[in-house]
Amino acid sequence: MRMMRFLAILSFASTVVPAARAASPDTSPWVPREIAPGVHMLEIPPDYYAAAISNVGVIEQADGFVIVDSGMSAGHGRAIVGYVRSLAADKPIKAVVITHWHNDHPQGISAIRDAFPKVRIIATAQTKAGMLGPEVGSLAGLTPSREVDEAARKEAGVAQEQIDKILADPDLPEDRRARLIRSRQQWGELAESWPGTYIVPPTETFARQLDIPDREHPVSIRFLGRANTAGDAVIWLPRQKVVFSGDIVVSPIPFGFYSYPKDWVKTLGRIEKLGFVTLVPGHGAPQNDTRYIGQLIGSIEDIRAQVGPLARKGMPLAEIRKNVDFTRFEAVFATSPRLKAGFAGLWIEPMVENAMKEALGTPIVQGEGEVQADPREKERKKGK
Ligand SMILES: [Zn+2]
């Protein structure tokens, strides 16, 4: 049975700040933000505590909208359609760019295509291969499926049960209780948004660059090298100097699963060189300088420098994990107890494995590794 295996652990990536924000029913789970005239993002707010769901880019061209990523579910796709119609009732979505295959980025497309059947769906060839290859095992599947809908509902139910157990503690601090109640509700909303979710493969792919011209808002879709996945697309708006990085940049804690440490550093350098004014990360708030990119590069280099020599000496992965010390960068990224709880699982553990494979010349295969985003997946594989 296919599962949304990214969900539970990634939810730690949310920060502790409870924002005083009224949820917009039209764009839930996102909050819209105009980052330049005609350039919007649908942002996952810091007080979203259920699964990790991608930010979305909305770029208005003269003859239609270009969308960057689409969320995790059919309901998310419908929210994007609703938002676009609120901006310009008669303008179609002409293209959706999928930055990479992880399930929280492509799974809203079916609903967008239902509303705009001629929509172009664009990704790198690697991302398309991923959506049709072994990785698809952790995606929703290529057709609507009641089995998948049911699995999603169950998984949300498990998360809610865990929350209920914690809520039963009468001594729970009030702020934590409020967060948990909010999280419980968001898991319910995610499950409700799910029925009918399936994957629509890209209708066109590119190798290096694909441009969508426009007088005011030209869009340049680039592959700048492997990073978070084998085929991350970067969306560059040369006139507004806005870049949508996908999960090459994720804050406040980066995600490290099945990634390519050495290439990632180079790719981050190429993003830096674009000279952006605003960077919209795959998850997290927009950025206006290269400080966070510098921290990411620093952490990846630190992991490579510590893991590489041990791996080349023949040390097994479990031993390497005991012989490295990443407290320096934990202090940089994990600035709260909640973030600290997610830092090792989301970043250090997968990145140590990636760095070891890289040092030994072992291929890093998308969707395959000792570290699973959801530890329950490993147990299922063991047949427990
Ligand atoms: Zn993501």
Side-chain angles (χ1 to χ4, degrees):
M1 184 161 55
R2 295 186 187 98
M3 299 298 281
M4 303 183 292
R5 61 161 109 146
F6 283 154
L7 295 192
I9 286 186
L10 294 196
S11 65
F12 282 110
S14 300
T15 69
V16 290
V17 188
R21 175 188 66 81
S24 160
D26 295 329
T27 57
S28 173
W30 294 289
V31 176
R33 183 200 279 246
E34 188 167 22
I35 46 180
V39 182
H40 307 247
M41 76 180 282
L42 296 172
E43 181 182 4
I44 294 293
D47 61 344
Y48 188 82
Y49 303 119
I53 294 168
S54 64
N55 290 327
V56 167
V58 177
I59 302 142
E60 184 168 1
Q61 295 193 328
D63 60 345
F65 289 90
V66 178
I67 304 295
V68 179
D69 286 328
S70 66
M72 188 184 271
S73 68
H76 295 165
R78 287 190 291 273
I80 294 167
V81 170
Y83 181 64
V84 161
R85 287 193 167 138
S86 78
L87 295 175
D90 300 330
K91 219 179 245 195
I93 291 177
K94 58 192 257 193
V96 182
V97 186
I98 298 304
T99 58
H100 63 293
W101 65 272
H102 294 168
N103 65 353
D104 55 311
H105 297 257
Q107 293 188 171
I109 298 175
S110 61
I112 296 175
R113 191 182 59 170
D114 286 347
F116 304 104
K118 289 184 194 156
V119 67
R120 299 168 68 183
I121 304 167
I122 301 166
T124 61
Q126 297 92 312
T127 291
K128 180 172 183 177
M131 287 164 69
L132 298 171
E135 298 94 314
V136 84
S138 63
L139 300 178
L142 293 165
T143 52
S145 147
R146 285 170 72 172
E147 185 194 89
V148 169
D149 293 349
E150 181 59 18
R153 202 181 58 75
K154 263 196 191 147
E155 198 149 335
V158 167
Q160 288 179 322
E161 276 169 32
Q162 286 166 352
I163 290 169
D164 286 340
K165 277 186 198 149
I166 305 170
L167 283 173
D169 175 3
D171 299 327
L172 207 61
E174 261 329 292
D175 59 337
R176 178 132 196 256
R177 180 175 300 277
R179 259 195 337 263
L180 286 164
I181 290 171
R182 188 164 178 78
S183 171
R184 195 185 192 292
Q185 180 198 339
Q186 289 163 339
W187 278 109
E189 288 165 2
L190 180 59
E192 272 170 38
S193 80
W194 191 275
T197 298
Y198 64 98
I199 287 285
V200 180
T203 57
E204 54 192 297
T205 61
F206 70 100
R208 290 277 151 206
Q209 183 168 343
L210 187 156
D211 291 342
I212 307 181
D214 185 67
R215 238 176 57 157
E216 291 295 320
H217 297 97
V219 172
S220 186
I221 310 164
R222 314 263 177 97
F223 174 66
L224 299 178
R226 298 189 301 182
N228 186 242
T229 71
D232 306 277
V234 169
I235 293 80
W236 171 234
L237 309 186
R239 288 201 53 182
Q240 288 74 27
K241 298 199 182 299
V242 174
V243 64
F244 294 86
S245 67
D247 286 5
I248 299 172
V249 181
V250 165
S251 77
I253 286 181
F255 301 159
F257 307 101
Y258 329 120
S259 62
Y260 304 87
K262 185 179 176 186
D263 290 0
W264 197 340
V265 169
K266 287 187 198 154
T267 303
L268 284 166
R270 290 175 193 129
I271 291 177
E272 242 177 341
K273 280 209 190 95
L274 291 171
F276 62 83
V277 171
T278 306
L279 178 147
V280 179
H283 304 256
Q287 304 173 9
N288 297 111
D289 56 44
T290 58
R291 200 174 61 99
Y292 188 83
I293 288 186
Q295 290 169 342
L296 262 181
I297 290 173
S299 180
I300 297 170
E301 292 292 28
D302 181 38
I303 293 164
R304 296 185 66 227
Q306 290 194 56
V307 172
L310 301 179
R312 283 187 286 269
K313 265 196 260 171
M315 191 181 278
L317 181 56
E319 282 302 304
I320 292 177
R321 292 197 192 284
K322 290 181 201 154
N323 281 278
V324 285
D325 175 10
F326 299 115
T327 45
R328 189 175 138 220
F329 279 94
E330 185 189 55
V332 170
F333 290 101
T335 50
S336 73
R338 188 181 171 84
L339 293 178
K340 225 170 173 173
F343 186 68
L346 292 168
W347 182 239
I348 294 298
E349 286 175 20
M351 287 302 280
V352 166
E353 184 177 344
N354 297 331
M356 175 181 157
K357 285 180 175 168
E358 183 181 86
L360 298 176
T362 308
I364 295 166
V365 180
Q366 295 297 294
E368 276 182 26
E370 182 189 89
V371 175
Q372 299 291 335
D374 181 343
R376 285 167 293 179
E377 189 71 18
K378 206 182 332 187
E379 287 177 16
R380 277 194 290 276
K381 279 192 178 163
K382 280 187 204 153
K384 276 185 189 166

